[in-house]
Amino acid sequence: MLFRTSNSLNGSEDARIDIDASARTVNGSVLTGGFCGRRGNGGGATNPNRRSYYRLYFSAVFDRDFARTGTWQNATVTPGGTTATGGEGYLTGADRAGKGSGGWVGFDAGGDVRMRIGISYVSTGAAAANRDAEVPDTATVDSVAAATRDAWNTELGRIGVGGGTAARTTAFYTAVYHSLMQPQTMNDIDGQYLGADLQVHRMRAGQRAVYGTFSGWDQYRAQIQLLALLRPDVAGDMAQSMLDFAAQNNGVWDRWLHLGAPTHVMTGDPAAPTLATYYAMGAADFDVDAALESLVKQATVQNPDALSDAGCPGQCLGQRPTLNTYLALKYAANDICHCWGGAAETLENSLADFSLAMWAQRAGRGDLYRQLLPRGDYWKNTFNPAVGYQAARRADGSWQAGFTPSTDVGFAQGSSATYTWMVPQDVSGLATLMGGRPAAATRLDGFFHDENGNWAVLGGNALRYDPTNEPGIHAPWLYNGLGQPWKTQATVRQIVDTAYGIGPGGLPGNDDLGTMSSWYVFAAIGLFPQVPGRAELLLGSPVFSRVVIDRANGVRLTVNANSADTYVQGVQLNGSALRRSWLPESYLQRGGTVTFTLGPTANTTWATAASDLPRDH
């Protein structure tokens, strides 16, 4: 059996293996990091993430004596060896081939070999303790499998569905499973964990676990809402973990945490809408005041790395880059923003600041609410009325030359055609700039259909909807705010039926730590979070006749439907007729029953009155 200790996916700085034949153990560690280390848009050979930011320890024990041992370091192979050290480095190809270290153990033929292994980010001893606590000497493969199955059935059982097809039910529970694979537990059984400062810390009193790995730009649009819906207790512990990681990182909340370490990937300030959403959805078991103050500071006080171009465009070192200039211009100037794309940065920051304003309002901080709410409208400063799209804008106020709706100049992993719709906090304001709600709805029709009126929701065209990436995944639900909710129902159902499925092709693209799967879960139950920072839910049409959600805080949500048809004919909330295409926060916070009457044809009068549309501010 080979222990390739230095072979971390993106490379390693160092590794060690120690084989103790008398104790039948193999211990080791790897000093590594290098998140997205191979990415060309992360700075090439000077990529700031080609660096080490954690050491993973392991401890393995066997139930059979070793008949042979050996080690290697680079090209030197040592039969009978028991110790080796050395990493691979963070380069790729020929620069890395043949480097690294590891070892092996061999056994005489006959009989099974059982190995128990544990890991830790703190020490070898902690890895052994975790192993013995979680997989005791009496454990068997069957008992571990059964315990794992029971644990996952508990999580999957928090949301029960019935009345759907077998394929949709399979796709649904696969999506719930994917959605709940993150965040990951980082602490050892004794409460210790590796912090963002590479020092060992102990989790706070009352904290159930320390969680890490946060794909912020991806997750804040769907996955964090589903986590808060099902497991507000986990969301609260995740919020506390992120606050502590930020404190260990000189007060900076990084966009993308790998374990607890900053990687700087993507754009915007996703921690702000994430914690604001957690708080709105009832995950308040963290130091709310300290977290709000810290995130507001990041949004108002420029940090030392804000003018750095290190890692740009994909992994720009600075969080809230060029903040002082951003606040002065009220948009991110594409030529001097030290960011991936100025228009995208402006849109992301506008939504983050709106979320912080909503949080401040809930927390009774009227001063912060009044300060931050106007910043939620800064997206209007990168909307070019001459072309009717979001566009890259320079510091002198001019627009980037050569604009087309399909351009990605000024944007991050998306086109202007996609990002123009990324204003869930102000659908009415966006509609006004597009000539009113009917005109905006007609434009949105063109986002989901080709020139001949055929559906175009599978991606591959920069002018159309892309189900494989995050900036536009809320767009199908915008029809509710434009007064044409039947088009949300039809569009969401088309995406559910064509972009998703079962088998190896069941996801339209990179799941991004459960984000795309979370979108499917919400779409399948006919509910979708309206906007980060709040807890209202937009209505679509469920594919199941019954959905029961038992939140970990004891609140029960029920969704009933008379059929699997696409179009809403009417809705009742707790027995009373609902003329709105959205649910108030009280439904999520206190529970209740939503009953859909569905039919095969569109009802173009339900939830269309101006007074019944989802509210913006």
Side-chain angles (χ1 to χ4, degrees):
M1 181 175 183
L2 298 178
F3 287 83
R4 302 167 62 218
T5 50
S6 65
N7 293 128
S8 186
L9 180 63
N10 284 317
S12 60
E13 180 179 342
D14 188 26
R16 180 180 182 89
I17 187 169
D18 294 295
I19 302 171
D20 185 345
S22 64
R24 299 173 176 166
T25 62
V26 179
N27 296 325
S29 67
V30 57
L31 179 62
T32 184
F35 178 83
C36 283
R38 302 184 184 196
R39 285 170 51 150
N41 67 346
T46 60
N47 185 327
N49 279 325
R50 283 181 174 163
R51 73 186 199 282
S52 301
Y53 46 82
Y54 68 92
R55 185 180 283 275
L56 175 69
Y57 298 88
F58 73 89
S59 181
V61 61
F62 293 82
D63 67 346
R64 290 265 307 273
D65 290 335
F66 305 153
R68 294 166 298 282
T69 66
T71 58
W72 71 87
Q73 181 178 6
N74 297 336
T76 302
V77 179
T78 307
T82 57
T83 299
T85 61
E88 295 180 290
Y90 287 118
L91 298 180
T92 60
D95 293 319
R96 189 158 131 197
K99 297 181 180 178
S101 63
W104 73 85
V105 295
F107 304 89
D108 290 333
D112 294 334
V113 177
R114 186 181 67 151
M115 179 186 75
R116 295 183 296 119
I117 190 167
I119 63 170
S120 168
Y121 298 104
V122 173
S123 68
T124 303
N130 293 339
R131 176 198 69 212
D132 292 340
E134 296 180 356
V135 190
D137 185 53
T138 55
T140 65
V141 171
D142 289 342
S143 70
V144 171
T148 302
R149 186 177 298 109
D150 289 346
W152 271 112
N153 280 337
T154 296
E155 298 306 319
L156 299 178
R158 297 181 190 278
I159 179 167
V161 299
T165 66
R168 280 177 171 165
T169 303
T170 297
F172 181 81
Y173 280 109
T174 302
V176 176
Y177 168 66
H178 286 163
S179 300
L180 296 179
M181 293 179 74
Q182 298 292 342
Q184 66 184 94
T185 307
M186 283 190 59
N187 61 281
D188 295 326
I189 60 167
D190 64 0
Q192 293 193 105
Y193 70 96
L194 180 68
D197 55 1
L198 302 184
Q199 301 299 307
V200 176
H201 299 265
R202 185 173 296 277
M203 64 183 184
R204 299 191 181 206
Q207 191 174 5
R208 291 161 291 256
V210 174
Y211 292 103
T213 303
F214 172 63
S215 171
W217 182 88
D218 311 297
Q219 288 179 296
Y220 86 84
R221 307 166 204 267
Q223 192 272 346
I224 62 120
Q225 289 88 343
L226 186 60
L227 177 67
L229 176 69
L230 299 177
R231 294 299 306 269
D233 52 339
V234 172
D237 281 338
M238 179 61 171
Q240 186 63 62
S241 302
M242 292 171 65
L243 171 61
D244 290 338
F245 291 141
Q248 297 155 11
N249 190 37
N250 299 315
V252 175
W253 298 67
D254 197 80
R255 291 179 288 267
W256 215 120
L257 297 176
H258 185 199
L259 304 177
T263 68
H264 329 307
V265 175
M266 298 309 299
T267 186
D269 187 8
T274 294
L275 268 73
T277 302
Y278 283 162
Y279 189 59
M281 296 183 72
D285 192 13
F286 62 98
D287 193 337
V288 174
D289 293 338
L292 178 59
E293 290 287 351
S294 180
L295 283 164
V296 169
K297 181 179 179 180
Q298 177 154 295
T300 54
V301 179
Q302 183 167 289
N303 65 65
D305 293 323
L307 302 181
S308 173
D309 275 328
C312 283
Q315 297 167 228
C316 298
L317 178 62
Q319 309 297 297
R320 292 278 186 161
T322 328
L323 178 61
N324 290 343
T325 302
Y326 175 81
L327 296 178
L329 295 175
K330 299 183 179 180
Y331 66 90
N334 200 59
D335 51 334
I336 60 168
C337 73
H338 304 287
C339 67
W340 193 332
E345 188 76 18
T346 303
L347 286 158
E348 297 285 353
N349 287 346
S350 297
L351 186 48
D353 290 337
F354 172 84
S355 299
L356 286 176
M358 296 298 100
W359 184 0
Q361 185 180 45
R362 291 177 194 282
R365 292 295 305 273
D367 56 330
L368 294 179
Y369 171 75
R370 291 185 293 272
Q371 175 187 0
L372 292 164
L373 186 63
R375 291 170 53 171
D377 288 336
Y378 284 7
W379 64 270
K380 295 178 180 178
N381 299 319
T382 45
F383 185 91
N384 184 349
V387 297
Y389 286 90
Q390 285 286 325
R393 193 173 186 182
R394 300 172 64 83
D396 63 5
S398 64
W399 300 98
Q400 191 83 32
F403 173 84
T404 66
S406 62
T407 186
D408 63 357
V409 176
F411 302 96
Q413 291 190 1
S415 66
S416 172
T418 294
Y419 269 92
T420 293
W421 299 105
M422 211 199 92
V423 194
Q425 78 273 26
D426 193 5
V427 178
S428 61
L430 179 62
T432 297
L433 293 181
M434 290 183 170
R437 288 192 178 97
T442 298
R443 277 196 58 176
L444 194 56
D445 293 343
F447 189 52
F448 295 112
H449 297 83
D450 64 20
E451 296 84 352
N452 299 317
N454 300 309
W455 284 107
V457 295
L458 297 180
N461 185 333
L463 297 176
R464 305 285 184 254
Y465 178 72
D466 181 5
T468 72
N469 214 349
E470 282 73 21
I473 60 173
H474 68 288
W477 303 83
L478 293 179
Y479 285 115
N480 287 29
L482 298 176
Q484 299 184 13
W486 68 92
K487 291 183 179 178
T488 282
Q489 299 150 28
T491 306
V492 170
R493 187 64 64 88
Q494 180 69 17
I495 297 168
V496 164
D497 287 346
T498 60
Y500 289 81
I502 58 176
L507 280 169
N510 189 335
D511 204 21
D512 285 326
L513 276 70
T515 303
M516 295 306 176
S517 290
S518 296
W519 186 94
Y520 183 89
V521 171
F522 280 119
I525 65 176
L527 310 175
F528 193 79
Q530 178 186 341
V531 59
R534 296 223 302 260
E536 293 95 344
L537 296 169
L538 299 174
L539 295 177
S541 57
V543 302
F544 301 104
S545 61
R546 183 167 175 81
V547 180
V548 179
I549 300 171
D550 287 311
R551 305 186 68 195
N553 59 7
V555 172
R556 168 168 283 195
L557 311 176
T558 302
V559 177
N560 295 321
N562 67 312
S563 72
D565 287 324
T566 298
Y567 294 103
V568 174
Q569 308 301 306
V571 176
Q572 289 188 330
L573 174 59
N574 296 327
S576 299
L578 183 69
R579 292 292 307 169
R580 303 176 307 200
S581 61
W582 56 280
L583 298 174
E585 295 185 348
S586 58
Y587 172 75
L588 186 147
Q589 294 162 346
R590 298 198 291 270
T593 299
V594 179
T595 301
F596 288 84
T597 299
L598 304 178
T601 59
N603 181 337
T604 59
T605 62
W606 176 76
T608 59
S611 59
D612 292 332
L613 301 184
R615 65 184 182 90
D616 285 318
H617 290 73

